[in-house]
């Protein structure tokens, strides 16, 4: 306390040194001294583990989400243009204008058609995507998985040649290797002077195989030179859509207006969120649901603080009465026990953040260590196309996890602290 000019002592302010010191002393007190050290440790460990698990799970989910979306968007594209502009006389000029839009990486005209393929005595369906040879490099995962010979041979020859590219999963299913023949059947066929020829079948050569990192795409899609696809499917000179890739797919909405302006009237513009609406919605729902569930785990762990502070208040009833008789205010008593509970929450949160971040940043080493110890492959690289479990720490997620844990710790500390501040010193000392 300080002394006023009138000589009367001035009460210490809120959260003064003596309040903080007393709160920390109560936490360190042994059980025989009326302390709750054991319960405080249990509460601390519970909050630490809950926070660490929440950060780890959200980081792993973000890692899988970004990795999977990255592979899917590398394969498919970010913005699509359809409509009358595809048949316009100046569509090549539209391509040039779209390339000039800031943030646009690539612009590729495509055709997509359904077909039946036969090889090795097996028949299956497939989507045949026709694209220009120079646009093959826009699909980074596909292009990097192919051999140099496969990339060089694609598009060579009359009308793009007869070499096509198939997914490695499809090649394994049909027992095909590079250089083997494969029959492609078009149910529509090409147009001629005598009308539509109906179903048309042609034998192509497997010029190479690719791996996109998404097995469903590898089994379903075949790449054919654009000119050859237009000729075979009766779409000579026709584009089915224009596919655009941008620098930042997560901010694709910012590109829609300038792309629509560059495409001009008669263009229907759609981004990847519309074409992958079901998948995108499932990811968002899963993320929100997991965040709520794990947030409740943190809340439950923080509720352990209540039992600790309740026991502390019960054991320190005599101390509370003495403090009140020597001048301590009810608010001072509330702050002392509130700080005791909040200290457990702060310490548990900081320890949980440290543990969770260390786990996420070293998850690959931890995985390989466990695999070496147990002899069990925890994460099959042949299936997931990844060497280790992906974990991407989002600073925003870490911030909100810390805020949630601290808020719940403070909320849990309030009821028993309020109860302590309401204790009547006369009643507390009656039987002492």
């Amino acid at each position: 306390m300080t002394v006023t000019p009138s000589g009367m002592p001035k009460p210490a302010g809120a959260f003064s040194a003596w309040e903080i010191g007393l709160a920390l002393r109560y936490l360190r007190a042994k059980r025989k001294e009326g302390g709750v050290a054991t319960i405080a440790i249990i509460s601390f460990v519970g909050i630490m583990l809950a926070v660490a698990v929440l950060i780890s799970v959200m980081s792993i989910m973000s890692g899988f989400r970004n990795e999977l979306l990255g592979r899917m968007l590398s394969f498919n594209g970010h913005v699509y243009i359809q409509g009358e502009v595809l048949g316009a006389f100046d569509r090549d000029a539209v391509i040039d204008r779209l390339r000039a839009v800031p943030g646009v990486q690539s612009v590729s005209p495509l055709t997509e058609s359904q077909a039946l393929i036969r090889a090795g005595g097996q028949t299956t369906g497939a989507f045949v995507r026709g694209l220009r040879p120079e646009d093959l490099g826009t699909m980074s995962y596909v292009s990097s998985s192919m051999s140099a010979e496969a990339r060089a041979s694609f598009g060579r020859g009359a009308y793009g040649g007869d070499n096509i590219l198939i997914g490695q999963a499809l090649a394994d299913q049909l027992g095909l290797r590079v250089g083997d023949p494969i029959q492609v059947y078009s149910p529509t066929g090409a147009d001629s002077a005598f009308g539509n020829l109906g179903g048309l079948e042609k034998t192509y050569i497997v010029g190479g195989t690719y791996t996109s990192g998404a097995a469903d795409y590898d089994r379903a899609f075949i790449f054919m030179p654009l000119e050859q696809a237009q000729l075979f499917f009766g779409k000579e000179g026709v584009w089915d859509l224009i596919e655009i890739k941008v620098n930042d797919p997560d901010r694709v909405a910012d590109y829609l207006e300038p792309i629509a302006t560059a495409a001009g009237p008669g263009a229907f513009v759609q981004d990847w969120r519309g074409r992958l609406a079901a998948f995108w919605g499932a990811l968002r729902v899963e993320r929100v649901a997991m965040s709520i569930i794990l947030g409740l785990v943190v809340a439950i762990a923080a509720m352990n603080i209540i039992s600790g502070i309740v026991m502390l208040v019960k054991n320190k009833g005599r101390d509370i009465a003495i403090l009140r008789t020597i001048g301590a205010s009810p608010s001072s008593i509330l702050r002392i026990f509130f700080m005791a509970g909040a200290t457990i929450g702060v310490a548990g949160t900081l320890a949980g953040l440290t543990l969770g971040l260390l786990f996420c940043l070293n998850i690959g080493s931890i995985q390989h260590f466990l695999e070496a110890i147990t002899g069990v492959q925890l994460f099959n690289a042949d299936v997931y196309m990844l060497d280790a479990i992906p974990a991407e720490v989002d600073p925003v997620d870490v911030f909100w996890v810390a805020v949630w844990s601290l808020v719940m710790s403070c909320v849990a500390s309030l009821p028993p602290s309020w109860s302590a501040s309401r204790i009547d010193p006369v009643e507390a000392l009656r039987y002492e």
Side-chain angles (χ1 to χ4, degrees):
M1 295 186 181
T2 58
V3 179
T4 62
S6 62
M8 297 295 294
K10 181 181 179 181
F15 298 101
S16 57
W18 78 271
E19 294 177 351
I20 298 173
L22 193 56
L24 297 178
R25 180 181 174 184
Y26 282 165
L27 286 178
R28 295 195 304 267
K30 298 179 181 179
R31 185 175 181 82
K32 63 181 182 180
E33 299 173 355
V36 288
T38 302
I39 297 178
I41 291 173
I42 293 173
S43 301
F44 165 81
V45 172
I47 295 173
M48 177 185 70
L49 294 179
V51 170
V53 168
L54 181 53
I55 290 177
S56 300
V57 171
M58 294 186 68
S59 298
I60 291 174
M61 288 180 61
S62 294
F64 270 112
R65 169 191 175 275
N66 293 337
E67 188 67 33
L68 183 57
L69 275 179
R71 292 178 184 274
M72 294 179 68
L73 295 180
S74 172
F75 190 95
N76 287 300
H78 309 150
V79 181
Y80 305 89
I81 296 178
Q82 293 175 295
E84 298 176 2
V85 67
L86 299 178
F89 68 92
D90 63 340
R91 64 182 184 178
D92 290 329
V94 172
I95 295 291
D96 294 334
R97 292 200 302 269
L98 291 172
R99 285 201 187 98
V101 174
V104 170
Q105 288 183 343
S106 63
V107 182
S108 308
L110 304 175
T111 64
E112 288 187 339
S113 307
Q114 293 182 335
L116 292 175
I117 57 175
R118 294 192 300 203
Q122 301 183 63
T123 302
T124 186
F127 289 96
V128 179
R129 178 175 290 181
L131 74 164
R132 299 177 301 183
E134 60 267 28
D135 293 331
L136 193 62
T138 62
M139 297 178 289
S140 57
Y141 289 102
V142 170
S143 180
S144 61
S145 67
M146 295 166 48
S147 65
E149 294 78 8
R151 290 193 297 269
S153 64
F154 185 73
R156 285 189 176 181
Y159 295 98
D162 294 336
N163 282 354
I164 62 175
L165 305 173
I166 67 175
Q168 186 61 53
L170 181 61
D172 294 339
Q173 176 183 334
L174 300 178
L176 294 173
R177 294 178 297 179
V178 175
D180 289 347
I182 180 173
Q183 285 76 41
V184 180
Y185 174 78
S186 167
T188 56
D191 294 325
S192 69
F194 304 99
N196 190 280
L197 298 178
L200 182 65
E201 185 174 9
K202 182 177 179 179
T203 299
Y204 289 92
I205 302 299
V206 178
T209 60
Y210 69 86
T211 302
S212 67
D216 290 342
Y217 287 148
D218 296 350
R219 280 191 291 266
F221 281 87
I222 292 175
F223 294 119
M224 185 180 290
L226 180 60
E227 286 186 273
Q228 182 64 215
Q230 290 172 329
L231 179 66
F232 181 71
F233 291 99
K235 297 180 178 181
E236 194 165 0
V238 174
W239 297 347
D240 289 335
L241 57 91
I242 298 175
E243 182 184 88
I244 299 174
K245 287 186 171 67
V246 298
N247 291 332
D248 189 355
D250 288 331
R251 297 177 56 248
V252 68
D254 297 339
Y255 299 93
L256 294 181
E257 184 175 350
I259 286 176
T261 302
F268 174 70
V269 181
Q270 185 182 34
D271 62 38
W272 64 269
R273 297 172 302 176
R275 297 196 64 165
L276 301 175
F279 178 78
W280 175 241
L283 282 180
R284 296 180 65 182
V285 170
E286 181 185 32
R287 180 177 176 84
V288 172
M290 288 300 297
S291 299
I292 293 174
I293 293 171
L294 294 174
L296 292 176
V297 172
V298 174
I300 293 170
M303 291 301 106
N304 288 331
I305 295 176
I306 293 180
S307 60
I309 302 303
V310 166
M311 183 172 291
L312 180 61
V313 170
K314 182 178 180 181
N315 292 339
K316 296 297 182 180
R318 182 173 179 272
D319 291 12
I320 295 172
I322 294 174
L323 288 171
R324 290 295 309 279
T325 58
I326 63 175
S329 65
S331 59
S332 294
I333 303 300
L334 185 148
R335 288 192 294 268
I336 289 171
F337 289 96
F338 174 80
M339 284 188 289
T343 299
I344 299 173
V346 171
T349 300
L350 293 177
L353 291 175
T354 303
L355 182 62
L357 292 175
L358 288 176
F359 177 80
C360 293
L361 296 176
N362 298 279
I363 192 169
S365 301
I366 295 173
Q367 173 199 329
H368 297 150
F369 173 75
L370 293 176
E371 289 177 342
I373 294 297
T374 62
V376 178
Q377 191 172 19
L378 302 177
F379 195 75
N380 194 338
D382 295 332
V383 175
Y384 299 101
M385 309 300 171
L386 299 169
D387 293 331
I389 299 173
E392 184 170 322
V393 178
D394 188 343
V396 176
D397 288 343
V398 174
F399 172 78
W400 284 115
V401 168
V403 170
W404 173 250
S405 178
L406 293 174
V407 168
M408 292 309 302
S409 299
C410 293
V411 169
S413 303
L414 275 175
S417 302
W418 175 261
S419 176
S421 69
R422 300 295 95 190
I423 291 178
D424 185 351
V426 174
E427 292 295 330
L429 294 174
R430 181 185 297 274
Y431 302 102
E432 292 293 339

